[in-house]
Amino acid sequence: METTEQVKQIKRSFRLYMNGITSTSMRRKGLDYKINWGVSQMDLRHMAEQYGKNKALAVALWQEDIRECKILATLIMPVNDFTASEAMEWAATLLTVEMAEMVVFNLFQHMNEAEKLSLMLFENDDKLVRICAYNLVCRLLKRNNECAPQLYATLFEKAAIDLKSADRQLLHPLVNCLDYVSSTDREQAKEAVQLLKAAGFDAF
């Protein structure tokens, strides 16, 4: 089946899983998409298993302004065939915090170039891209991947700036990331604690 037909088939199948109550609730919370069927994460993962890893299909789905299409795209993109540059292109099109979280959890953290991608994300001043950066660094550390000194330095440099923000959506992943660093036995823990305290946050 051609990619175009697969996309059409997938979009039709969302009607079987749609949840109007969930969709309405998400809109009220500010999660606005052109189309949102309210399909659960579990159902989307089951759908992804049916299609397997498919880069062409993932790219086509990401281009759709539909919540479920984008989440499916993050689940079926082959991580070994997805570059940091391509990931940056996806990050540049993000419109919601939910998707910034989903793309990191489902895809970015598993990439071979995840650390390189983190540095690239930090170079962008867009709030959602920066949210991706903090979430990605935190996920890499939690997976026991020791980060290079350059990434720690960049994390602390950007955090010192962003901690002055009043935007809770940005502060949430930032503080979570620094909290995690501060709770480890890594030599960078002390600097994370100092940053948090200087900004009025208590480290764990």
Side-chain angles (χ1 to χ4, degrees):
M1 185 183 299
E2 294 185 358
T3 299
T4 302
E5 289 303 313
Q6 284 183 307
V7 172
K8 290 180 179 178
Q9 181 185 71
I10 289 171
K11 289 161 70 174
R12 286 194 297 268
S13 68
F14 290 146
R15 295 181 182 276
L16 301 175
Y17 299 96
M18 68 179 292
N19 187 320
I21 296 176
T22 299
S23 178
T24 300
S25 175
M26 294 174 76
R27 283 197 299 272
R28 289 174 178 170
K29 293 177 181 177
L31 295 176
D32 291 325
Y33 298 90
K34 182 178 180 181
I35 300 177
N36 179 358
W37 295 100
V39 180
S40 71
Q41 298 286 335
M42 183 178 297
D43 285 334
L44 288 170
R45 289 186 180 279
H46 286 322
M47 291 181 66
E49 291 174 359
Q50 297 174 25
Y51 289 93
K53 299 298 182 181
N54 186 323
K55 183 171 185 177
L57 182 57
V59 170
L61 287 170
W62 186 262
Q63 293 172 350
E64 297 286 333
D65 192 8
I66 300 173
R67 170 182 173 270
E68 287 75 12
C69 284
K70 289 186 178 297
I71 294 176
L72 268 180
T74 69
L75 292 169
I76 67 173
M77 173 61 76
V79 294
N80 294 330
D81 193 25
F82 193 54
T83 67
S85 295
E86 290 172 321
M88 280 300 302
E89 293 177 3
W90 281 31
T93 66
L94 290 167
L95 296 176
T96 67
V97 173
E98 180 197 28
M99 204 55 58
E101 294 171 345
M102 286 291 99
V103 75
V104 168
F105 189 80
N106 294 337
L107 179 58
F108 289 177
Q109 68 166 319
H110 304 293
M111 293 172 55
N112 294 330
E113 296 184 323
E115 193 163 314
K116 175 183 177 181
L117 173 59
S118 298
L119 291 170
M120 294 170 68
L121 291 167
F122 273 126
E123 293 174 1
N124 194 301
D125 291 329
D126 180 84
K127 181 182 77 173
L128 291 174
V129 176
R130 194 82 76 141
I131 286 173
C132 277
Y134 290 117
N135 280 328
L136 180 53
V137 172
C138 196
R139 290 305 310 170
L140 292 178
L141 291 172
K142 286 182 176 180
R143 295 176 65 201
N144 297 317
N145 291 342
E146 181 62 57
C147 292
Q150 181 185 2
L151 183 52
Y152 276 116
T154 302
L155 167 64
F156 294 146
E157 176 189 349
K158 301 302 182 181
I161 297 171
D162 291 338
L163 280 168
K164 300 174 183 177
S165 171
D167 192 312
R168 293 185 179 182
Q169 291 181 327
L170 176 62
L171 286 173
H172 181 70
L174 187 170
V175 172
N176 279 347
C177 186
L178 291 182
D179 269 334
Y180 182 76
V181 176
S182 72
S183 69
T184 68
D185 58 1
R186 295 183 175 92
E187 61 182 83
Q188 292 84 4
K190 183 177 180 180
E191 187 167 354
V193 170
Q194 292 174 338
L195 279 171
L196 289 168
K197 287 185 175 180
F201 295 94
D202 292 326
F204 291 146

